[in-house]
Amino acid sequence: MTVERTRPATLKDIAQRAGVSISTVSRVLDERLPSSRSAAADRVRVIAAELGYSRDVLASSLRRQGTDTIGVLVPRLTDTVMAVLFEAIARECDRRGRFAVVSTTGDDEDKDVSAADALLRRKVDGLILTTARTDMDTTAALRNRGIPHVFALRTDGVTASAVCDDTLGGFVATRHLIDLGHTDIGIVGGPSYASSAAGRMQGWDQALQEAGITARDDRRLSLGFQIEDGERGGMALLDREDRPTAIFAVNDNTAIGVLAAAHRLGLRVPEDVSIVGYNDIPIASHLPVPLTTVRVPFDRVAADAVDLLLEVPQTDRIRVVQPTLIPRGTTTRPA
């Protein structure tokens, strides 16, 4: 006969039925601890199932002054880079017995603050942010409140951060084009407030300078990270008689936009214009012309970010992983 309960089963209920202490029940039912196969432990699990017991993760974690939950702030999940990074962070959190929850901000500082507050009200143990801006201090309030936080993919140069060497990545992308024989290379850059975009543009500058090529101002664009930005930049660089023979787009989304612009203008890739992207998102290798790009090891960035966040006490430091050039079909020697 099923006995209807007016309240959820508690550890005390189970302990009384099993004839053991409440602390024993707590240890047996805590899935983070090694599983006991004793007769008493088996009896506890059977009774817990009969009573429909469900462990209150939030309550038990709060008693330990934590919820085993990490908040992640990203500009938007429609950006494949951010979706891929969040999945990598979620996998790393799961590996460590924690849970990741995400909130989007639209790369707006006011929304950064409100989104962080919303996650903190849900008692997350700390924050991983991909929203660092070089034009303002986005973490002053978090520091003042003693909230554990780190940056990923971007950095402000001070806060603990897990990043890729974007200057090196921009350099190897541009050097690849130079080694193919290109001397007129444009860049569709990202927003100047993002350290990742600034580093990749710096790498473009360095590669040209090292090769003795003048970096023309009319070949340098600072836009956004979306496909529409890439298409707009591609049209600006390619819809002219003296168009460059190659373009470095500072992420794969903008590279796809440049590809769209080239198609609209009737230009062949790579015969008429070579294109290099950045990040190596999953679709990059599956485009009609597979995209030459620079691969970012997102799993490494995620692992470093979680590691930095969970280290106690925190110290300000930056961990840097190395990018890798992935040559594919969108680059060739100039005609």
Side-chain angles (χ1 to χ4, degrees), residues 195-226:
S195 63
S196 52
R200 294 165 201 177
M201 184 168 284
Q202 182 180 355
W204 174 80
D205 269 320
Q206 288 181 359
L208 295 179
Q209 182 178 359
E210 183 182 283
I213 301 170
T214 299
R216 292 171 49 177
D217 288 340
D218 65 342
R219 297 307 198 231
R220 182 198 311 262
L221 300 177
S222 292
L223 301 171
F225 284 135
Q226 304 307 302

Side-chain angles (χ1 to χ4, degrees), residues 71-322:
V72 184
L73 291 185
V74 301
R76 55 190 62 83
L77 285 173
T78 52
D79 183 335
T80 307
V81 170
M82 294 301 160
V84 169
L85 177 65
F86 174 69
E87 288 185 355
I89 292 172
R91 286 193 298 272
E92 183 64 20
C93 286
D94 182 65
R95 190 180 71 81
R96 295 172 184 242
R98 289 171 167 82
F99 181 73
V101 59
V102 67
S103 183
T104 60
T105 71
D107 239 346
D108 180 282
E109 188 187 22
D110 291 337
K111 291 182 179 178
D112 285 352
V113 174
S114 61
D117 283 342
L119 290 173
L120 292 171
R121 285 196 298 271
R122 288 160 176 76
K123 307 298 184 183
V124 298
D125 294 339
L127 297 170
I128 297 175
L129 307 96
T130 67
T131 54
R133 299 177 67 104
T134 57
D135 58 352
M136 57 188 66
D137 188 347
T138 57
T139 60
L142 297 176
R143 288 196 302 273
N144 292 338
R145 295 163 63 184
I147 304 298
H149 63 280
V150 301
F151 283 126
L153 288 185
R154 298 187 198 170
T155 182
D156 60 3
V158 178
T159 305
S161 307
V163 298
C164 185
D165 189 337
D166 290 303
T167 300
L168 176 61
F171 181 91
V172 299
T174 309
R175 186 72 235 185
H176 169 66
L177 294 169
I178 293 170
D179 289 344
L180 288 172
H182 294 276
T183 58
D184 190 351
I185 303 169
I187 181 169
V188 177
S192 59
Y193 59 74
S195 63
S196 52
R200 294 165 201 177
M201 184 168 284
Q202 182 180 355
W204 174 80
D205 269 320
Q206 288 181 359
L208 295 179
Q209 182 178 359
E210 183 182 283
I213 301 170
T214 299
R216 292 171 49 177
D217 288 340
D218 65 342
R219 297 307 198 231
R220 182 198 311 262
L221 300 177
S222 292
L223 301 171
F225 284 135
Q226 304 307 302
I227 292 175
E228 297 81 3
D229 298 308
E231 187 165 7
R232 181 157 54 97
M235 291 300 294
L237 290 173
L238 297 175
D239 192 15
R240 51 195 294 175
E241 290 186 5
D242 66 334
R243 64 176 178 264
T245 63
I247 293 176
F248 168 40
V250 298
N251 77 358
D252 291 341
N253 282 337
T254 52
I256 290 170
V258 174
L259 284 165
H263 179 74
R264 283 177 56 189
L265 294 169
L267 299 175
R268 299 168 300 162
V269 178
E271 293 84 358
D272 298 322
V273 59
S274 287
I275 299 171
V276 179
Y278 199 102
N279 286 312
D280 196 25
I281 61 176
I283 197 174
S285 62
H286 300 287
L287 295 169
V289 181
L291 180 66
T292 295
T293 189
V294 176
R295 176 175 294 164
V296 173
F298 290 105
D299 285 340
R300 287 276 311 284
V301 173
D304 283 346
V306 175
D307 193 40
L308 287 168
L309 185 67
L310 298 180
E311 284 190 7
V312 179
Q314 286 194 71
T315 57
D316 289 341
R317 59 210 176 279
I318 299 175
R319 294 192 184 179
V320 183
V321 299
Q322 301 303 304

